[in-house]
Amino acid sequence: MQFKKEFDIDREFFTEKPKVHLKRKLALKVFLFVLFITFALLCYFAFSYSFNPGFKSADVNGETVSLKDAQSFFFDAVRYYDDGNYEKALEYFNKQIEIVDDPDAYSYIAKIYLEENNTALAIEYFKKALQFKPDMFDANYELGKIYYSLNDFKNASKYLTLASSERIDNVEVLSLTAESYRQSGRADDAVKLFEKILEIEPTSAFANIKTGEIYFQRLQYKKASRYFEDALFVSYNEEAAMMLAKCYFELGSLDEAISIANDILVQNKDNKQAQSLKRAAEYKKGLSQAQGEKIAQTEEKNDVQNEQINVPDPNIVKAYVKEIEMSIKLNWTPPVGSNLKKATVKFTVNKEGELVSNVIYLSSGLMEFDKSVLDAIEMSKPFPPLPDSLNRDTLDIIFTFDYNVNP
């Protein structure tokens, strides 16, 4: 009996266990079902209402509207925008942002104001878009372009850097970013970016020319010439040709400088830079050829006296330059929007007061500005003859033209 009793207890134990197991399985199934339903609902809401988390209900024209209404407003606004109905587009975008702060809506509103030439409001709304999405390409790129057009190259660089980080292979974006670096004085950063552009697009005339200009301004004429040559190898570009001629002139390769100046004048006979550079190169070439003989003859007369004569009196030079300065100033008309630009020009006047050469020494980076500088000097000729007391055949004069400073 003892054995049977124990057996009965054991059998009871074995019959109870499956019941507990079934309950656990049922509970697990219910839990998984609830979890699945919850997940499905979350996915539905995430898919249906793909806006910023800061959504809310709002009262618009006396009616309570929800996030779903905001989505509808957005789609209607985009449709009006694509149709060119900016008034309606603004109405619906504003309805949307009363419910939800959406960076895309702010960006669209900014583009509308940009189309309407309301730059201040365009900047304001692009910045609002960036408050919610700092890496938004459109807003950063458009702000960079706006500030660049306003000659605010520091702010342009800031936003274009962010834009270019999102479009690392976009040559147009990289080019504008590099140029904003160059204009804001970040030449090293500009060179790196221009060289990156040339890795992507080796035939980019723009990148070759701008890189060459940076090296030219650093007086690295040999290195600069290689970039201008590469630009011209792809296709003829008058700007690149002119810069290459200047490089050859500074390197003392006068025949090459004259040859390129002649090629430019065949294409554009009115190019004053080419005319001036050609005159300067021919004059310098003729001067160098006669220099040895002239010095020898002069030394035979009186070496000591000639050394004293060849040193110009600073006061006489200063008085002469002051005499022509006002004339140049009156003839200079800087282009609109060039208040942050400056350029240095080197021109040569001979004994009779004739203009021998007139060359941009350091470019402003703006073709219209450089041209206005050269035109001012051309319009001021003929200059007064050099004072006899200078005992010189020519006088080199260097002026820096700055919108905010007298030349």
Side-chain angles (χ1 to χ4, degrees):
M1 292 295 291
Q2 183 68 29
F3 175 77
K4 187 175 185 303
K5 186 177 182 181
E6 289 178 358
F7 176 76
D8 289 339
I9 293 171
D10 289 341
R11 187 170 64 177
E12 184 181 351
F13 172 78
F14 284 113
T15 55
E16 285 293 319
K17 188 173 182 179
K19 291 180 181 178
V20 173
H21 181 67
L22 287 172
K23 288 180 180 179
R24 287 176 178 173
K25 284 182 68 176
L26 182 61
L28 181 62
K29 286 181 180 179
V30 171
F31 173 75
L32 290 174
F33 177 75
V34 172
L35 186 64
F36 174 77
I37 294 297
T38 304
F39 178 75
L41 288 172
L42 288 172
C43 289
Y44 171 76
F45 285 115
F47 178 78
S48 300
Y49 306 127
S50 55
F51 291 96
N52 273 346
F55 64 85
K56 52 188 177 291
S57 293
D59 186 78
V60 179
N61 295 328
E63 297 181 4
T64 301
V65 291
S66 66
L67 185 62
K68 196 168 184 177
D69 296 309
Q71 186 182 44
S72 177
F73 290 148
F74 178 79
F75 292 141
D76 288 340
V78 171
R79 188 176 70 253
Y80 284 125
Y81 177 87
D82 291 338
D83 292 340
N85 190 341
Y86 296 147
E87 185 178 351
K88 273 288 185 184
L90 278 175
E91 178 186 341
Y92 278 83
F93 279 130
N94 283 318
K95 284 182 178 181
Q96 181 204 351
I97 61 178
E98 286 181 11
I99 308 169
V100 56
D101 288 317
D102 180 26
D104 290 321
Y106 285 126
S107 181
Y108 270 110
I109 293 172
K111 289 176 183 177
I112 291 172
Y113 285 128
L114 199 58
E115 290 284 346
E116 295 176 347
N117 295 318
N118 192 333
T119 304
L121 280 177
I123 290 173
E124 178 184 339
Y125 277 89
F126 278 131
K127 287 184 176 180
K128 282 186 178 181
L130 292 175
Q131 288 177 7
F132 297 96
K133 193 175 180 182
D135 61 348
M136 188 176 192
F137 170 76
D138 283 347
N140 280 311
Y141 186 50
E142 293 298 335
L143 276 172
K145 290 197 294 184
I146 291 172
Y147 281 118
Y148 186 91
S149 68
L150 296 173
N151 292 330
D152 185 350
F153 301 115
K154 185 176 180 180
N155 270 319
S157 299
K158 170 186 170 183
Y159 291 105
L160 289 170
T161 298
L162 294 170
S164 60
S165 67
E166 296 294 318
R167 298 288 190 276
I168 57 175
D169 295 325
N170 188 309
V171 171
E172 182 181 353
V173 176
L174 295 178
S175 296
L176 188 60
T177 306
E179 183 61 6
S180 71
Y181 288 162
R182 190 179 76 89
Q183 296 284 8
S184 61
R186 296 169 57 182
D188 290 337
D189 292 331
V191 167
K192 289 177 184 177
L193 212 50
F194 280 131
E195 289 177 345
K196 183 176 180 180
I197 292 168
L198 291 172
E199 290 176 7
I200 301 170
E201 191 177 303
T203 58
S204 171
F206 176 80
N208 274 305
I209 292 171
K210 294 302 178 182
T211 308
E213 286 181 354
I214 291 172
Y215 285 119
F216 184 89
Q217 290 174 354
R218 292 175 173 177
L219 310 182
Q220 295 176 260
Y221 304 119
K222 190 170 183 179
K223 199 166 186 177
S225 66
R226 291 201 294 268
Y227 286 96
F228 297 130
E229 287 167 354
D230 287 346
L232 291 169
F233 181 78
V234 177
S235 61
Y236 178 78
N237 181 290
E238 188 171 312
E239 181 183 356
M242 192 65 239
M243 293 302 296
L244 182 58
K246 291 178 184 179
C247 287
Y248 285 142
F249 179 83
E250 296 294 343
L251 290 168
S253 302
L254 302 176
D255 289 332
E256 288 85 349
I258 292 169
S259 175
I260 294 174
N262 284 330
D263 291 340
I264 294 171
L265 292 171
V266 168
Q267 301 288 332
N268 180 10
K269 64 180 181 179
D270 296 324
N271 188 309
K272 293 179 180 178
Q273 287 195 60
Q275 293 170 357
S276 296
L277 188 135
K278 181 183 176 182
R279 287 200 307 268
E282 289 174 341
Y283 186 85
K284 192 173 181 180
K285 183 180 177 182
L287 192 64
S288 62
Q289 290 173 347
Q291 189 175 17
E293 181 181 350
K294 184 175 181 180
I295 291 174
Q297 292 173 350
T298 306
E299 287 178 348
E300 287 177 3
K301 293 179 180 178
N302 194 323
D303 291 340
V304 177
Q305 286 183 357
N306 279 328
E307 286 179 5
Q308 295 173 346
I309 290 172
N310 286 331
V311 177
D313 185 335
N315 292 327
I316 297 175
V317 173
K318 185 176 180 180
Y320 178 77
V321 171
K322 193 68 178 177
E323 187 176 355
I324 66 176
E325 182 178 5
M326 290 305 297
S327 175
I328 295 173
K329 179 182 176 182
L330 291 172
N331 288 320
W332 183 41
T333 306
V336 176
S338 60
N339 55 306
L340 298 177
K341 299 291 183 181
K342 61 181 178 180
T344 301
V345 64
K346 178 181 178 181
F347 62 98
T348 304
V349 179
N350 67 14
K351 198 168 186 176
E352 288 73 33
E354 297 172 344
L355 183 64
V356 175
S357 68
N358 182 19
V359 181
I360 293 291
Y361 195 65
L362 290 176
S363 173
S364 66
L366 184 66
M367 189 179 297
E368 292 81 1
F369 190 92
D370 290 352
K371 184 177 182 300
S372 72
V373 167
L374 295 172
D375 287 346
I377 295 173
E378 289 283 347
M379 292 168 63
S380 302
K381 64 181 186 182
F383 299 107
L386 295 181
D388 292 336
S389 56
L390 287 180
N391 288 301
R392 295 174 64 90
D393 292 328
T394 61
L395 181 66
D396 293 328
I397 303 171
I398 297 177
F399 273 170
T400 295
F401 288 73
D402 190 322
Y403 184 88
N404 300 305
V405 180
N406 290 335

